[in-house]
Amino acid sequence: EYTPEYQFNIGANWEAPITDGLVLKLAADANYMDDYLYSETLDEETRQEATTVVNARIALVEVDNVWEVALIGRNLTDETILNFGGNTPLAGVMTNGTGNSYYAFVNRPRNVAVQFTYNFYFSRTKTKGCMLQPFFMLALNCDIHQLILRSNF
């Protein structure tokens, strides 16, 4: 029963120019997941209750897509989601048969990050009817948990 009986997702994106050189982009999504058992033993103690997770993103983008600054919020509803777990091995032996213990892996709590992206191009000239793909992209995400540098070729 690793899979909830019902799952629903909905999302929306919106963008609009705010000056001749800048575009504002907004995005949000909501994800509902029905309750499920996250343990292979199907023990009722390992039931994850139904959750709704909301994510959002607001970005300011240079019109030629050279750079972007974004504020990203993940799990804004701060849901505690246990996605895998089970009984602890030998728990009955360790408690002389009087109890049991469980372990679980938990998804990240509410997370807010600032992201800066810069795209490097071979040439800044655009060809007619053709959009240039970035040669190299550098994205910098800063949040309270980690600092990530990522490059895509």
Side-chain angles (χ1 to χ4, degrees), residues 3 6 8 42 45 49 51 58 67 84 88 91-92 117 120 129 140 144:
T3 306
Y6 299 105
F8 302 101
L42 303 180
E45 293 294 322
E49 297 300 321
T51 59
I58 182 169
W67 60 264
F84 181 77
T88 306
T117 303
F120 296 86
L140 177 65
I144 58 172

Side-chain angles (χ1 to χ4, degrees), residues 104-117:
F105 294 94
V106 182
N107 284 2
R108 289 181 78 171
R110 179 183 300 124
N111 181 288
V112 177
V114 175
Q115 180 183 55
F116 176 76
T117 303

